[in-house]
Amino acid sequence: MQIKYNTAVFTPAGWRSEVVTAQAEAISPKRLRVVAVLDIGGNGATGYASRTGAKRQAYNVGSTALREMGAVKLTSKVEVLAV
């Protein structure tokens, strides 16, 4: 199933929130495991991105995607986009 949720990304200015779109599998009725990250903040799942274009807001999209792989999310805390 495809889900959407918020995660934190590290920038030189500090931690910021970004929206993640991912594929997940159900491991119980109330929990999901992320199996693939499709998009982080509208920037794909690889490379570098910046929320505002400023260097102080830049973050590594690839490392954030790797960190999210295998993460367990509660179904009540994510938005299910497609089953």
Side-chain angles (χ1 to χ4, degrees), residues 34-71:
V34 175
V35 293
V37 175
L38 306 175
D39 183 66
I40 298 175
N43 300 306
T46 61
Y48 286 84
S50 175
R51 289 181 65 179
T52 62
K55 283 188 176 183
R56 64 186 308 254
Q57 297 292 337
Y59 61 94
N60 188 331
V61 178
S63 70
T64 304
L66 288 174
R67 187 184 70 210
E68 292 298 316
M69 293 287 291

Side-chain angles (χ1 to χ4, degrees), residues 1-3 23 79-83:
M1 76 181 51
Q2 193 169 354
I3 61 172
Q23 285 291 118
E79 177 184 348
V80 177
L81 301 175
V83 177

